[in-house]
Amino acid sequence: MAVYALTGFSLVSLLSFGYLSWDWMKPSLVADVATDPVEKSPPPAFSRPPHIIFILTDDQGYHDVGYHGSDIQTPTLDRLAAEGVKLENYYIQPICTPSRSQLITGRYQIHTGLQHSIIRPRQPNCLPLDQVTLPQKLQEAGYSTHMVGKWHLGFYKKECLPTRRGFDTFLGSLTGNVDYYTYDNCDGPGVCGYDLHEGEDVAWDQSGKYSTFLYTQRVSKILASHSPKEPIFIYVAFQAVHTPLQSPKEYIYRYRSMGNVARRKYAAMVTCMDEAVKNITWALKKYGYYDNSVIVFSTDNGGQTFSGGSNWPLRGRKGTYWEGGVRGIGFVHSPLIKRKRRTSWALVHITDWYPTLVSLARGNLSNVPGLDGYNVWPAISEGKESPRTEILHNIDPLYNHAKYGSLEDGFGIWNTAVQASIRVGEWKLLTGDPGYSDWIPPQTLTNFPGSWWNLERLTDGVRKSVWLFNITADPYERYDLSDQRPDVVRTLLMRLVHYNRTAIPVRYPAENPRAHPDFNGGAWGPWASEDDGDEWEGGREPLKSRNKKKKCKICKLRSFFRKLNTRLMSNRI
């Protein structure tokens, strides 16, 4: 393996920081695989169901929190994590829609058809309507349910909207990224629209308010108007710190000495979000919720290193299956935790929140078979062993196949050209093209991405299609053991084969020009009627339009937008 280091930054210096201090020469055997995701854990001994506040941030890098050694100020997150339980073996998905779908359904992407990319604004696609969502289960348990922030789980039909999927109220955006002040979102040149919604209506009157402030004020208003005697679930999906990099000037001023402009703006957005969490926590105390509350904090994917984020010292970035793309910041803060002020190394995945939170709410999980998540509350609260022993990061049959992959390289049981990744016990396997693979330090220098971005780059990965790492011993994925341990490679490939047999067809339809905001009053929103049916019934390809005349009228426009998408949108995430 050829590893290049910058002048002044060597492996010796990294060792001095403690980044390479593991015993990587003693990989253990593959752990036993659990077979029943829904653990029969006894209900927690609370006098009444707790209030649940789930906070999800967007594109916040693993390194970008104070307690991970960041240069960004996050005093609130640091304090809440220190007083609760830090989850340092916590995994999410590499991009937005997959993490959100798995949180809301408790199922892997391969079991919802969302295993490829994200749901794009003009696609007739959304979280499958047959899925019973987390807020729906909490409603069944007697909870008032509210969502504030970014949805990004599809909206082409009204049935796809948050208020039809279990939330009593909703204030936020439906698409993947909007302007923080104007709430405009362009899905390509000339395809722009307004995207801020109150319930199922367009919230035109809220334009001009910085989204982090607006969402925090809404949470406070919800708490003020609700009774703390009744259980409440609030899902706060901040837009921050996704691009565009926009922040109030007073936060940018704090980082005026930071030479890199993108990092400076990004840092300001993180600190602003941190203060928003402080205000939410204060509101919980002010209105009488805090003593019976559970606050979960999670990122949705790795940081985008070219937009100010940092996953250092992990490898990779947002959109990749390296640890920098899938290992998240996570913690739980609650007066109800039995063993507080500690760090947990229990294996936890974002699918686990579904059964965990429903169990906390004393809800019924018996009528939602096939969950991929586990109830991890005993591991979090009491320090017990996690019931989870493996994670399917994903299998994406549509992603560009690796040039050098083959069925032969996969022992005749798996085509290693297919993008896939799985962790079993201490072992992690990647096949196909895992994505951008460098280690990138925080972009603090003015000339980034000049000399710094090449701090360390692998040069032998281009012709590979299989990687194996002992993640416990080698969390930064520096030592590929696929050649030394073909037995482990084969075992993990067999697990991929097992999961692939349970996968449903990919839901990734062609974009529909009817979604253009110009046809919907200038705003992004539902465009298909209830009578249109499900365009994805029956397989991978969308059914032909039932209204041929309507299709003919817009066929030229459809072709035009399709070409634009192919040329300009292929790299948008």
Side-chain angles (χ1 to χ4, degrees):
M1 177 182 296
V3 177
Y4 291 103
L6 258 187
T7 303
F9 242 104
S10 63
L11 284 175
V12 174
S13 62
L14 289 169
L15 280 167
S16 69
F17 289 140
Y19 288 150
L20 304 179
S21 58
W22 60 82
D23 182 6
W24 61 274
M25 291 301 292
K26 298 179 180 179
S28 67
L29 297 175
V30 175
D32 293 335
V33 177
T35 57
D36 184 11
V38 181
E39 291 293 298
K40 303 298 189 293
S41 302
F46 303 151
S47 60
R48 50 200 170 97
H51 308 297
I52 301 170
I53 312 298
F54 196 102
I55 300 173
L56 186 72
T57 60
D58 199 342
D59 286 9
Q60 183 179 359
Y62 177 84
H63 182 71
D64 298 327
V65 66
Y67 66 85
H68 280 173
S70 178
D71 54 345
I72 299 176
Q73 300 167 24
T74 58
T76 302
L77 300 184
D78 297 344
R79 178 178 57 80
L80 293 177
E83 295 173 356
V85 176
K86 299 174 184 176
L87 305 177
E88 291 300 327
N89 204 5
Y90 174 56
Y91 286 86
I92 48 183
Q93 295 305 114
I95 48 179
C96 303
T97 296
S99 281
R100 293 161 205 275
S101 69
Q102 297 194 43
L103 166 65
I104 292 294
T105 67
R107 288 178 167 83
Y108 291 140
Q109 296 161 255
I110 63 166
H111 295 145
T112 59
L114 299 175
Q115 55 267 57
H116 179 66
S117 190
I118 59 173
I119 296 178
R120 301 185 183 276
R122 289 175 281 167
Q123 283 183 314
N125 195 12
C126 73
L127 188 72
L129 299 177
D130 61 350
Q131 294 291 324
V132 179
T133 67
L134 171 60
Q136 286 173 333
K137 295 303 297 181
L138 293 177
Q139 282 181 331
E140 290 179 9
Y143 275 69
S144 174
T145 60
H146 307 268
M147 180 179 172
V148 179
K150 173 179 170 178
W151 177 237
H152 208 185
L153 289 174
F155 58 88
Y156 80 105
K157 286 183 177 182
K158 284 190 175 181
E159 293 97 322
C160 302
L161 298 176
T163 48
R164 306 288 180 100
R165 306 311 305 270
F167 290 104
D168 296 325
T169 69
F170 169 68
L171 174 68
S173 60
L174 299 173
T175 61
N177 65 298
V178 300
D179 186 281
Y180 281 74
Y181 293 96
T182 67
Y183 299 97
D184 290 329
N185 177 23
C186 293
D187 191 41
V191 190
C192 301
Y194 185 80
D195 183 17
L196 183 65
H197 294 75
E198 173 87 54
E200 298 183 8
D201 299 321
V202 182
W204 298 103
D205 59 324
Q206 302 292 348
S207 179
K209 301 176 182 178
Y210 188 67
S211 72
T212 304
F213 294 159
L214 177 65
Y215 295 155
T216 305
Q217 291 166 2
R218 174 52 58 94
V219 173
S220 181
K221 183 178 180 181
I222 292 170
L223 293 172
S225 61
H226 187 79
S227 170
K229 295 180 181 180
E230 301 296 329
I232 191 170
F233 170 59
I234 306 179
Y235 172 36
V236 188
F238 282 117
Q239 175 186 355
V241 289
H242 196 290
T243 54
L245 299 179
Q246 297 172 302
S247 172
K249 291 181 180 179
E250 59 267 30
Y251 293 94
I252 296 178
Y253 185 75
R254 303 184 190 188
Y255 297 99
R256 61 192 180 278
S257 62
M258 194 173 284
N260 182 269
V261 175
R263 181 69 173 172
R264 185 191 314 155
K265 293 179 178 179
Y266 175 91
M269 295 166 70
V270 173
T271 296
C272 181
M273 177 273 298
D274 180 86
E275 290 194 4
V277 175
K278 176 182 178 181
N279 291 334
I280 291 173
T281 307
W282 180 84
L284 288 170
K285 294 179 179 179
K286 177 182 178 181
Y287 297 116
Y289 297 86
Y290 177 78
D291 290 340
N292 189 41
S293 69
V294 174
I295 301 172
V296 180
F297 181 91
S298 172
T299 50
D300 71 334
N301 47 246
Q304 181 53 273
T305 52
F306 290 158
S307 299
S310 175
N311 306 301
W312 181 259
L314 302 180
R315 184 177 184 179
R317 65 187 187 200
K318 171 184 177 177
T320 76
Y321 289 95
W322 303 107
E323 292 291 284
V326 298
R327 183 172 288 207
I329 301 172
F331 65 79
V332 180
H333 177 96
S334 172
L336 306 176
I337 294 174
K338 293 183 178 180
R339 292 182 57 195
K340 306 179 183 67
R341 299 179 179 275
R342 65 184 182 86
T343 297
S344 170
W345 294 96
L347 187 61
V348 179
H349 184 249
I350 196 167
T351 54
D352 297 331
W353 296 120
Y354 187 113
T356 299
L357 299 181
V358 173
S359 297
L360 281 177
R362 300 176 183 174
N364 180 16
L365 288 170
S366 63
N367 58 353
V368 281
L371 292 179
D372 294 307
Y374 295 80
N375 178 9
V376 292
W377 183 252
I380 293 171
S381 177
E382 304 171 44
K384 293 184 177 180
E385 185 176 353
S386 173
R388 177 177 288 282
T389 59
E390 72 178 41
I391 296 171
L392 175 68
H393 293 301
N394 196 25
I395 300 170
D396 185 349
L398 298 190
Y399 194 81
N400 296 334
H401 283 200
K403 184 177 180 181
Y404 296 97
S406 67
L407 189 63
E408 181 181 358
D409 289 342
F411 297 95
I413 59 175
W414 183 261
N415 182 359
T416 63
V418 174
Q419 186 191 62
S421 181
I422 189 171
R423 174 170 171 175
V424 179
E426 298 177 338
W427 294 101
K428 177 180 177 182
L429 180 78
L430 304 97
T431 70
D433 179 3
Y436 188 87
S437 64
D438 288 357
W439 295 269
I440 304 176
Q443 306 93 300
T444 55
L445 294 188
T446 305
N447 65 342
F448 182 87
S451 58
W452 271 58
W453 82 295
N454 280 325
L455 174 70
E456 292 192 40
R457 163 170 284 186
L458 289 184
T459 58
D460 65 346
V462 177
R463 296 179 179 272
K464 286 184 60 64
S465 63
V466 179
W467 293 261
L468 177 71
F469 301 96
N470 184 316
I471 289 298
T472 302
D474 177 16
Y476 313 132
E477 298 171 299
R478 294 179 178 274
Y479 303 98
D480 176 16
L481 302 176
S482 59
D483 290 338
Q484 293 93 315
R485 296 300 302 269
D487 57 322
V488 178
V489 171
R490 184 182 179 87
T491 298
L492 269 62
L493 288 176
M494 287 297 296
R495 292 304 296 163
L496 286 178
V497 171
H498 163 76
Y499 277 113
N500 199 45
R501 287 171 180 159
T502 70
I504 69 172
V506 178
R507 300 170 61 95
Y508 199 73
E511 294 180 344
N512 192 320
R514 291 167 59 192
H516 197 298
D518 286 355
F519 303 149
N520 296 282
W524 293 102
W527 73 87
S529 68
E530 296 181 8
D531 296 332
D532 283 349
D534 187 349
E535 297 192 34
W536 277 88
E537 291 176 354
R540 295 174 182 264
E541 296 296 330
L543 299 177
K544 294 183 179 179
S545 171
R546 298 176 184 176
N547 190 334
K548 293 188 177 181
K549 288 185 178 180
K550 198 170 201 177
K551 181 180 178 182
C552 289
K553 288 181 180 179
I554 62 174
C555 61
K556 291 183 179 180
L557 190 59
R558 185 193 300 271
S559 176
F560 170 73
F561 283 127
R562 216 175 254 163
K563 289 178 181 178
L564 272 180
N565 178 68
T566 302
R567 181 177 297 180
L568 300 171
M569 301 302 297
S570 60
N571 293 321
R572 278 179 69 95
I573 292 178

